[in-house]
Amino acid sequence: MPNYNDRAIHAFLATEFEGLQVQDGMRLLDLGCGARPYAWMYGRRDIECIAADFDVRTPGLDVRLDAQALPFADASFDCVLFSEVVEHLPDAPRALAEISRVLRPGGVLLITWPFAYMMHEVPHDHARYTEFGMAHLLAAHGLRIEVLVRRGGVLAVAAVILEFLVGGVLEALARLPLAGLLFGPARRGLMWLCFSAPTALYFALRRRTGLRYRARPGQGLAGWRGHMEHWTLGYCARARKACGR
């Protein structure tokens, strides 16, 4: 079941693809596409899409590759989607250099990455980047962040940790001989009622205002409210390749 983190990524990408200006012959690279959870967003637009990943996790995969050595010509894509992938790469700067290389001048990179979030796909989880660290890496390869979204503040982090803990307790109870008779069938329903349903309702009611768009890294971090955002589950950003690169 999707948590706050998943829904924040979904809301950001839905907004970005909705506002994407599509031109004839536009090409998009879904890099590290996994099971292609966002294909329905860009698949509805008149865009040529290439789904690429290191592992085959979907029947719709077009190219199996290493993100750190892309087999595409220079300036061959107008947009690259790079969602929750950069933390899994041993050499993230090299991958970003490759993305910049295959992007056309003025092309867009939609990138998301975790920060205060649990390790996942262990042992292939290598790094966490602040918004400042990622901005520095992107700028080194001619990519400038145009908009930045923090995926919630300290309350969102606490909610996801609580969801993880409650889910673990319910799973443990479901494995017990007697308690399992009650908690086994009820576990998914309880998790949906306590966590998934409230989160879905929040994003349904606040799709436009639930995510605060920033024009640059560091914006909105001052004051008590900004201090709450020093803790965040992760980031979503739109970066653009300089026209002269």
Side-chain angles (χ1 to χ4, degrees):
M1 289 182 285
N3 58 20
Y4 185 101
N5 186 64
D6 302 323
R7 292 190 182 278
I9 297 171
H10 181 280
F12 170 80
L13 292 178
T15 300
E16 288 299 311
F17 280 117
E18 185 179 300
L20 190 65
Q21 295 184 350
V22 178
Q23 300 175 349
D24 291 341
M26 187 171 187
R27 301 186 75 214
L28 178 144
L29 174 62
D30 188 350
L31 184 56
C33 63
R36 300 189 70 186
Y38 310 112
W40 68 271
M41 296 182 188
Y42 57 73
R44 297 180 302 176
R45 313 296 299 272
D46 187 19
I47 306 173
E48 180 187 351
C49 306
I50 304 298
D53 205 329
F54 184 75
D55 292 319
V56 179
R57 292 181 280 184
T58 175
L61 190 71
D62 296 310
V63 182
R64 189 174 182 182
L65 49 66
D66 180 355
Q68 299 158 134
L70 298 178
F72 304 113
D74 295 358
S76 53
F77 291 96
D78 301 280
C79 181
V80 174
L81 172 59
F82 199 47
S83 182
E84 305 300 286
V85 180
V86 69
E87 72 274 15
H88 299 298
L89 301 175
D91 193 346
R94 183 179 172 189
L96 294 174
E98 281 290 276
I99 289 172
S100 180
R101 179 183 64 79
V102 302
L103 265 177
R104 292 172 181 157
V108 169
L109 167 64
L110 298 177
I111 180 171
T112 78
W113 69 98
F115 184 59
Y117 200 71
M118 65 182 291
M119 287 189 291
H120 51 286
E121 296 192 26
V122 174
H124 307 294
D125 193 346
H126 297 283
R128 296 291 183 269
Y129 298 95
T130 66
E131 56 201 77
F132 306 104
M134 184 57 70
H136 177 77
L137 287 177
L138 292 171
H141 302 292
L143 296 162
R144 182 179 64 84
I145 290 179
E146 290 185 332
V147 296
L148 177 80
V149 168
R150 302 181 190 109
R151 302 200 298 251
V154 67
L155 294 180
V157 174
V160 169
I161 292 174
L162 180 62
E163 182 176 357
F164 173 78
L165 291 173
V166 171
V169 170
L170 290 177
E171 183 176 354
L173 290 173
R175 294 174 182 271
L176 296 176
L178 295 179
L181 297 176
L182 173 63
F183 289 101
R187 179 166 59 95
R188 288 185 61 85
L190 287 171
M191 292 298 293
W192 178 86
L193 182 64
C194 295
F195 297 102
S196 296
T199 302
L201 181 62
Y202 172 82
F203 278 97
L205 294 175
R206 303 191 64 187
R207 180 170 179 240
R208 297 294 183 184
T209 59
L211 297 177
R212 300 187 184 93
Y213 276 68
R214 310 296 187 185
R216 64 184 185 278
Q219 185 179 6
L221 289 179
W224 71 268
R225 187 171 182 174
H227 193 68
M228 298 282 279
E229 294 187 19
H230 286 209
W231 285 90
T232 183
L233 290 165
Y235 300 93
C236 304
R238 183 209 311 147
R240 191 174 300 274
K241 182 177 177 179
C243 290
R245 297 288 291 232

